[in-house]
């Protein structure tokens, strides 16, 4: 399902990508390798849609649930950036 999301991202069909990434994240559950990877893709897709609050929420979940992952470190960088853009 995540790969289908990737295909939609490449085609510029962000809404469909978000839908597929969301499904993939749900199926990944708490898998410490797959879940943060898919969550990061979802957050990036939200950013492309200018849904910054949604992206921030995903980054915060990555930080909380997978802090030692590479995606957790990326989330740590993105949270202040998006918070600033949102005026928080």
């Amino acid at each position: 399902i995540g790969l289908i999301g990737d295909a939609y991202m490449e085609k510029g069909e962000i809404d469909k990508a978000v839908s597929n990434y969301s499904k993939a994240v749900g199926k990944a559950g708490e898998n410490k390798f797959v879940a943060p990877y898919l969550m990061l893709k979802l957050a990036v897709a939200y950013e492309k849609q200018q849904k910054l609050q949604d992206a921030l929420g995903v980054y915060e979940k990555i930080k909380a649930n997978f802090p030692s992952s590479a995606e957790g470190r990326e989330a740590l960088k993105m949270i202040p950036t998006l918070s600033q853009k949102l005026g928080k």
Side-chain angles (χ1 to χ4, degrees):
I1 298 170
L3 292 174
I4 294 169
D6 290 345
Y8 280 122
M9 281 292 281
E10 284 189 28
K11 290 175 66 178
E13 296 181 38
I14 310 303
D15 292 340
K16 290 180 180 179
V18 165
S19 175
N20 281 280
Y21 288 146
S22 294
K23 289 176 192 174
V25 166
K27 289 191 178 274
E30 293 298 314
N31 182 299
K32 65 181 181 178
F33 300 108
V34 178
Y37 175 75
L38 293 168
M39 292 171 78
L40 185 64
K41 288 179 174 275
L42 177 60
V44 169
Y46 278 140
E47 285 186 75
K48 287 188 180 283
Q49 289 180 315
Q50 293 300 307
K51 293 182 178 179
L52 301 183
Q53 188 63 50
D54 291 335
L56 179 61
V58 175
Y59 285 126
E60 288 173 342
K61 286 180 185 176
I62 295 169
K63 175 187 165 194
N65 297 329
F66 307 100
S68 61
S69 68
E71 295 83 4
R73 290 185 294 280
E74 182 66 23
L76 284 174
K77 295 178 198 172
M78 294 307 299
I79 290 169
T81 302
L82 290 180
S83 293
Q84 184 178 17
K85 287 182 182 179
L86 290 166
K88 293 185 176 187

